[in-house]
Amino acid sequence: MSIDSDELTSWYREFQRDLPWRRPGVTAWQILVSEFMLQQTPVARVEPIWLDWIARWPTPSATAAAGVGEVLRAWGKLGYPRRAKRLHECAVTIAAEHGDVVPADVETLLTLPGVGAYTARAVACFAYAARVPVVDTNVRRVVARAVHGRADSPASVRDLADVSALLPDSDAAPVFSAALMELGATVCTARNPRCGICPLSACLWRTAGYPAPTGPARKVQRYAGTDRQARGRLLDVLRTNSFPVTRAQLDVAWLSDTAQRDRALDSLLVDGLVEQTPDGRFALAGEGENT
Ligand code: SF4
C-alpha cells in the first residue's frame, strides 16, 4: 500500500495553487497564522484577510502588542472568532516565552494556546520541513480512496500512523504532505473527484469501480438560523462601531428569536470576545475599559 511520491510531487510542482503563505520568505509565524485561519474557513476568504494581517502584524510580538479587540476586528468575517482570540494568546506566549520565534518541534508547538494536533504538525512540516504526518480531511479522503479503496473514512486514531507509513523516507516528505493535501483540496474532492486529471495511476478506489460509502451519510452543517450566525451578527455590530454600543443597538441585529439572541450574547461574554462597560454598554474584548 503506497502512493507514488514522484507522481504526486511532480504534479504538485506543476499545478499547485499560488497561495501567498507558500511563497518564499514567508515566516513560520505567518504560516501559523494561515493555519489558524484555514482551520474552518475556505482559502478564498482567508487570503485577503491573511495578507492584511501579516502586513500589519508580521511577527508574534507585533500581534501581541495589539489589543484583542483590534485582532477581532481584523479577523472580520472569517467565522469562529474564538480562533482570533486564541491566536492572540498564542502570539503573546511566543513573544514572551520563545524569543518571538515559533517553536519547530511538534511537542513544544502543542503547548501553545490554540495549537492542536493538526496545526502543530502542519507548522512543523510546512514551516520547518519536518518529516511528520499532517492529516486533515482532504488527506484522509485521498488516502482512503487511493490506498484503501474506500470512498472516505472517518477520523481515526490510526490516521497518523497510516499517513506516516506513506511518507517518503527523504527530504521529499514535506512536499509529499503538501501535495497530498493539495490533491484532496483541488482534484480528489469529496463530491466530484476529477480522476481524469489525477496524477495517481494506482488508485484502489478507482480500480475497484468506486464502491459506495459504507458509513452513515455525513450531515451538512447549516449556518442560517444557528446560534453561530446570531453570534456573528452581534460581533458585526461591535466590529463596525468604534465605541461601545447599547443593548438596543445589539438587539436590532437579531430580531427573529430573542432567546437565541440572549444566548448568543451570553456565550460571547463567556468566551471573552465581548465585554460590558461599567455603564452597561457592550464592546469588543479589551475595548470596554475607560469608556
Ligand atoms: S483517481 Fe480519482 S478517486 Fe483516486 S485519488 Fe485520484 S481523484 Fe481521487
Side-chain angles (χ1 to χ4, degrees):
M1 292 197 304
S2 69
I3 287 177
D4 188 310
S5 172
D6 289 340
E7 282 181 348
L8 181 63
T9 55
S10 301
W11 167 82
Y12 179 69
R13 289 201 166 90
E14 190 171 355
F15 295 107
Q16 65 174 292
R17 291 167 294 176
D18 175 28
L19 302 179
W21 43 87
R22 289 179 179 163
R23 291 175 191 156
V26 173
T27 66
W29 167 250
Q30 294 161 0
I31 289 173
L32 186 147
V33 171
S34 76
E35 292 297 342
F36 263 71
M37 291 181 173
L38 289 164
Q39 276 165 22
Q40 283 147 310
T41 309
V43 163
R45 282 170 54 205
V46 166
E47 206 168 331
I49 304 270
W50 181 87
L51 287 167
D52 287 348
W53 190 289
I54 62 139
R56 189 171 176 191
W57 299 309
T59 60
S61 54
T63 316
V68 181
E70 273 183 275
V71 164
L72 286 168
R73 256 182 241 285
W75 192 259
K77 288 178 174 287
L78 288 181
Y80 297 102
R82 267 178 295 206
R83 288 180 294 168
K85 188 159 179 283
R86 298 295 275 163
L87 181 56
H88 186 262
E89 291 165 6
C90 185
V92 169
T93 302
I94 294 172
E97 298 174 18
H98 298 279
D100 216 21
V101 176
V102 175
D105 63 289
V106 171
E107 288 69 28
T108 312
L109 282 160
L110 282 169
T111 67
L112 299 173
V115 174
Y118 166 78
T119 305
R121 288 188 171 77
V123 170
C125 177
F126 302 138
Y128 293 111
R131 187 184 179 280
V132 291
V134 186
V135 185
D136 69 351
T137 53
N138 288 322
V139 169
R140 193 176 299 116
R141 183 174 58 255
V142 174
V143 171
R145 289 174 176 174
V147 179
H148 300 295
R150 294 195 297 263
D152 206 342
S153 68
S156 152
V157 289
R158 294 195 310 275
D159 286 340
L160 288 180
D162 210 18
V163 174
S164 190
L166 296 170
L167 292 179
D169 201 12
S170 67
D171 294 348
V175 177
F176 179 92
S177 292
L180 205 52
M181 199 170 288
E182 185 78 345
L183 190 73
T186 61
V187 174
C188 191
T189 56
R191 292 198 179 172
N192 298 305
R194 297 188 292 156
C195 304
I197 60 164
C198 181
L200 303 186
S201 59
C203 168
L204 286 187
W205 193 49
R206 180 170 61 182
T207 309
Y210 306 108
T214 50
R218 213 171 262 171
K219 283 186 193 152
V220 178
Q221 282 190 340
R222 73 184 170 92
Y223 178 65
T226 59
D227 285 12
R228 199 155 74 76
Q229 188 185 31
R231 281 165 57 100
R233 291 269 181 85
L234 298 180
L235 273 182
D236 279 349
V237 174
L238 296 167
R239 263 198 295 264
T240 51
N241 278 280
S242 317
F243 297 101
V245 302
T246 62
R247 178 67 198 239
Q249 284 174 282
L250 285 179
D251 285 352
V252 293
W254 194 260
L255 293 167
S256 57
D257 184 334
T258 55
Q260 188 177 40
R261 184 178 63 215
D262 291 349
R263 197 164 61 234
L265 181 56
D266 282 350
S267 71
L268 289 170
L269 289 162
V270 169
D271 287 346
L273 300 173
V274 171
E275 62 190 30
Q276 231 175 333
T277 61
D279 65 1
R281 289 175 298 155
F282 295 87
L284 289 174
E287 297 187 349
E289 292 166 10
N290 309 318
T291 56

